[in-house]
Amino acid sequence: MSKPIVIMGAGGHGKVLFDICRETGRDVGGFLDQNVEGEVHGLPVLGNDTMLDDAGFVSAHDFVLGIGNPALHKRLSALIVEKGGALATLVHPAATISQSVSLGSGCAVMAGVVINIDAQIGDNCIINTRASIDHDCRLGNDVQICPGATLAGVVECGDDVFVGAGATILPTVKIGARTVVGAGALVNRDIPADKTVVSRSFRFANGSSS
């Protein structure tokens, strides 16, 4: 029997995860948030991340990260594991995922997402509303794909890659670790690690361009 879910973060992203739990029949024990008190959608805010110091609380629940900020998402994911907690994977029933897809632990897959055959998704990834990940793509850990982004076939994203809303990455492109692809960008060539790509003109934030 599944343990009740605790959602870390009671903001917009956390509410989306609550909705996935509701749609899939997962029991939600409440939220943890340092800035919100009281209730969210009738569920209690149980405290903040100091609750993770309570071993009994941690062992009694599974956890999901309702936090969009990539650095904070990564830090809290690691903290939950360090404290002995388990990260649940949530998939909205309106997502379409091939049976051959490999989906890591702690992932969140939102409504309208399509993940096609033989794609591999690492741990703690966020695949947001209506994002499309085509065949044979490879995503590392802690990757965030924002709403409406499109990854064509055989795209590779290293760990901690962030792909902004509506961005398009063309087939076979490789995105290096910790790179940020800005909203609406069209990426048609490989990008090394630790870059930021903005606009449809493929311009690096450090001044170089295509």
Side-chain angles (χ1 to χ4, degrees):
M1 184 176 179
S2 298
K3 297 177 182 179
I5 292 280
V6 168
I7 301 171
M8 302 283 294
H13 188 64
K15 291 191 295 183
V16 171
L17 296 185
F18 160 70
D19 196 49
I20 296 176
C21 290
R22 182 167 54 182
E23 291 292 324
T24 56
R26 288 297 303 265
D27 181 33
V28 180
F31 296 85
L32 296 182
D33 196 301
Q34 64 179 4
N35 299 312
V36 179
E37 296 180 352
E39 293 186 345
V40 176
H41 281 276
L43 291 170
V45 177
L46 302 167
N48 55 37
D49 59 11
T50 61
M51 294 292 293
L52 298 176
D53 294 328
D54 183 338
F57 177 82
V58 170
S59 65
H61 298 91
D62 289 336
F63 294 84
V64 293
L65 273 298
I67 296 166
N69 178 282
L72 184 56
H73 188 279
K74 185 181 178 75
R75 182 181 72 79
L76 288 176
S77 297
L79 180 62
I80 290 167
V81 173
E82 177 187 324
K83 297 294 185 178
L87 291 162
T89 290
L90 296 181
V91 178
H92 196 285
T96 301
I97 302 178
S98 170
Q99 293 181 1
S100 65
V101 167
S102 172
L103 192 62
S105 65
C107 290
V109 180
M110 311 312 191
V113 165
V114 176
I115 307 178
N116 270 326
I117 191 166
D118 290 337
Q120 295 182 5
I121 312 298
D123 296 336
N124 304 322
C125 292
I126 300 172
I127 315 298
N128 234 309
T129 309
R130 293 188 300 102
S132 177
I133 298 175
D134 221 305
H135 66 90
D136 299 292
C137 287
R138 304 286 186 270
L139 274 59
N141 298 325
D142 300 289
V143 173
Q144 187 167 163
I145 309 297
C146 289
T150 299
L151 277 60
V154 204
V155 167
E156 295 185 15
C157 294
D159 293 346
D160 304 298
V161 165
F162 181 95
V163 179
T168 299
I169 302 176
L170 296 187
T172 73
V173 166
K174 295 178 175 61
I175 309 295
R178 299 172 301 282
T179 282
V180 174
V181 177
L186 175 63
V187 181
N188 61 2
R189 65 179 72 174
D190 293 352
I191 307 175
D194 301 301
K195 294 291 185 178
T196 297
V197 178
V198 296
S199 85
R200 304 190 72 85
S201 65
F202 190 84
R203 182 175 298 276
F204 289 133
N206 65 7
S208 62
S209 64
S210 60

